[in-house]
Amino acid sequence: MDRQPAPPATPSQNRRQPGGRRLPLVKKLLFAAAATVIFFAVLEAVLAVVGVKPRAYEEDPYVGFSGRAPLFVEVRDSDGTVVMERSPAKATLFNMQRFPKVKAAGTTRIFCMGGSTTYGHPYEDPTSFCGWLRELLNAAQPDHRWEVINAGGISYASYRVALLMEELVGYDPDLFII
């Protein structure tokens, strides 16, 4: 008895799963996406439980230029007053500055912005032009309340000032010195 060879399988027959059903590409992509999302969600949960914090909690990964890492954060004084204070993540680039979140009536709030010269480099805020301006304004008009805030950063490029101004405009400024 001569057996005749079976006809060759077509490409679609080769890809079929047992039972003759083929999984559509859309379902394959959805399963792959779901598996990836679940993997990273579980990984994030494990890291959170273990106590791993993102680097941005300790320092600014964008060297002070991130739009999402604010220069000032809210803190409470011992008397309960809410003040804005330079973020610990920006400590290596900006001087320590504090001012009340709500500006008192009759106060003129001035923000000085710029790079290393505004910062007062190689020294700190008291020797910067902002520090001198603060002292001179208080001496020239001691009956008026002046708040001169030094927002100058070391190696702070001038094109970054616009990003910083978006934050500072929310603190009720009267004047920007750039």
Side-chain angles (χ1 to χ4, degrees):
M1 290 197 207
D2 285 330
R3 285 184 121 184
Q4 297 242 343
T10 63
S12 64
Q13 289 173 334
N14 286 337
R15 289 187 296 213
R16 287 196 176 154
Q17 297 176 351
R21 295 184 68 207
R22 185 174 159 208
L23 197 59
L25 178 63
V26 173
K27 284 188 178 181
K28 288 180 184 179
L29 292 174
L30 285 175
F31 287 136
T36 302
V37 168
I38 290 170
F39 169 77
F40 283 110
V42 169
L43 180 64
E44 284 287 333
V46 168
L47 291 174
V49 168
V50 173
V52 176
K53 291 183 180 178
R55 186 176 176 198
Y57 276 74
E58 304 299 324
E59 64 181 77
D60 184 358
Y62 299 106
V63 194
F65 304 137
S66 172
R68 291 186 291 200
L71 176 55
F72 294 102
V73 293
E74 284 186 24
V75 295
R76 289 203 180 269
D77 269 347
S78 57
D79 64 355
T81 306
V82 177
V83 296
M84 301 307 294
E85 182 176 277
R86 188 235 29 239
S87 169
K90 308 275 186 158
T92 58
L93 301 169
F94 293 87
N95 285 302
M96 174 52 80
Q97 299 287 294
R98 291 173 57 100
F99 57 93
K101 182 176 182 179
V102 177
K103 184 172 69 173
T107 301
T108 302
R109 186 172 284 173
I110 302 170
F111 284 100
C112 300
M113 302 170 58
S116 300
T117 302
T118 306
Y119 175 92
H121 190 72
Y123 306 106
E124 292 186 5
D125 177 59
T127 60
S128 69
F129 74 83
C130 304
W132 283 101
L133 179 62
R134 187 180 307 113
E135 294 299 319
L136 292 172
L137 286 172
N138 286 325
Q141 198 172 10
D143 56 329
H144 187 79
R145 179 146 168 77
W146 299 95
E147 290 178 353
V148 180
I149 297 112
N150 186 340
I154 295 175
S155 298
Y156 200 76
S158 59
Y159 62 89
R160 302 286 185 181
V161 170
L163 290 174
L164 182 56
M165 284 185 86
E166 288 178 11
E167 174 188 352
L168 300 181
V169 78
Y171 303 132
D172 197 17
D174 293 299
L175 178 67
F176 285 108
I177 299 175
I178 302 170

